[in-house]
Amino acid sequence: MRSENETVGQQRSFIEEARRRQIIAAAVDLISEIGYGNASLAKIAEHAGISKGVISYHFDGKDDLMTQLVIQLYVSGAEFMTPVIAAAEGPRNRLRAYIASNLDFIDANKRYVAAMTDVVLNLRDAEGQLKFTYAEGAEEILRPLVDLLREGQRESVFGAFDPMLMAKSIRDAIDGTAGRAIQESDFDVRKYAAHLCRLFDLATITQGE
């Protein structure tokens, strides 16, 4: 049985996590409306209906809040995509699920994606360098996709190609779609997802198919 202290601790952690997500959501809304440069902690707090001190309790300043905003989107994306990919049978269907679920998530979270993009293009470290660069974390992001492509090659489902180069091509296509989704109001993400699935079906096909 759980002790009373354990139960209280879990409740506190749940409440604190909910508050952190509330603050991040408020930051997303405000950045979407007035841009990263104008979204001060005071304005974010006002938008969330809380005091600035509450934000300071949960985050170590604006830079930390913005960093967690970016991380949270990737975490939420992984939570959305993982069960969809796992439910697909075989490497080819899992690749389609990877592309389609990624773009479904982007389509459902355009406002968040736009805010995150604004943060990534502007947040800088103490030396004035961009905190998030394309190379940073790229290998970790690409690893599951590279593993999926290699699995398909081992099973002769996919043809002969460089898995890392193919994974980069797929990610570039997905990231490019995200840019179009937030810039073009009439862009049909689902239709484009189907197009990309067909495109990479052909790109990964085995000889003789």
Side-chain angles (χ1 to χ4, degrees):
M1 294 180 64
R2 295 175 181 171
S3 70
E4 183 176 345
N5 287 339
E6 287 177 325
T7 301
V8 171
Q10 288 175 346
Q11 290 175 341
R12 183 180 296 112
S13 296
F14 176 81
I15 292 171
E16 289 181 351
E17 179 60 25
R19 177 66 81 182
R20 286 170 62 87
R21 291 194 179 225
Q22 177 199 6
I23 294 168
I24 290 174
V28 167
D29 285 343
L30 197 62
I31 292 169
S32 298
E33 292 174 8
I34 65 175
Y36 169 85
N38 295 316
S40 65
L41 286 184
K43 289 181 179 178
I44 293 171
E46 180 181 1
H47 191 76
I50 58 178
S51 70
K52 183 178 174 181
V54 173
I55 296 181
S56 297
Y57 174 79
H58 292 281
F59 299 96
D60 186 20
K62 181 178 177 179
D63 285 0
D64 182 39
L65 171 55
M66 296 299 110
T67 299
Q68 296 308 314
L69 183 154
V70 174
I71 292 172
Q72 183 58 55
L73 183 66
Y74 279 105
V75 170
S76 297
E79 290 173 348
F80 179 86
M81 292 170 60
T82 298
V84 178
I85 298 169
E89 295 186 5
R92 188 165 297 282
N93 285 330
R94 284 199 291 276
L95 177 58
R96 292 172 183 148
Y98 178 94
I99 296 170
S101 63
N102 204 317
L103 295 185
D104 281 345
F105 179 78
I106 290 170
D107 195 29
N109 295 275
K110 292 178 185 177
R111 192 177 181 87
Y112 201 145
V113 172
M116 184 209 72
T117 301
D118 198 359
V119 172
V120 168
L121 293 176
N122 288 282
L123 182 61
R124 297 181 180 273
D125 61 22
E127 284 71 42
Q129 302 298 314
L130 287 173
K131 183 173 180 62
F132 294 100
T133 63
Y134 189 81
E136 184 179 357
E139 184 176 345
E140 183 178 352
I141 293 172
L142 288 171
R143 188 180 302 117
L145 181 54
V146 171
D147 290 344
L148 170 57
L149 295 171
R150 284 176 175 157
E151 177 189 358
Q153 289 178 324
R154 286 195 300 270
E155 296 180 10
S156 298
V157 174
F158 296 144
F161 53 79
D162 186 317
M164 178 58 75
L165 292 181
M166 185 64 73
K168 288 181 177 180
S169 297
I170 294 169
R171 280 302 333 163
D172 286 349
I174 291 171
D175 293 341
T177 305
R180 290 190 179 278
I182 62 179
Q183 293 172 14
E184 302 177 18
S185 59
D186 61 346
F187 186 71
D188 190 332
V189 177
R190 289 181 179 274
K191 183 177 180 180
Y192 200 72
H195 163 72
L196 287 185
C197 286
R198 289 193 298 270
L199 183 65
F200 285 106
D201 261 344
L202 293 173
T204 57
I205 198 169
T206 57
Q207 292 183 353
E209 280 194 59

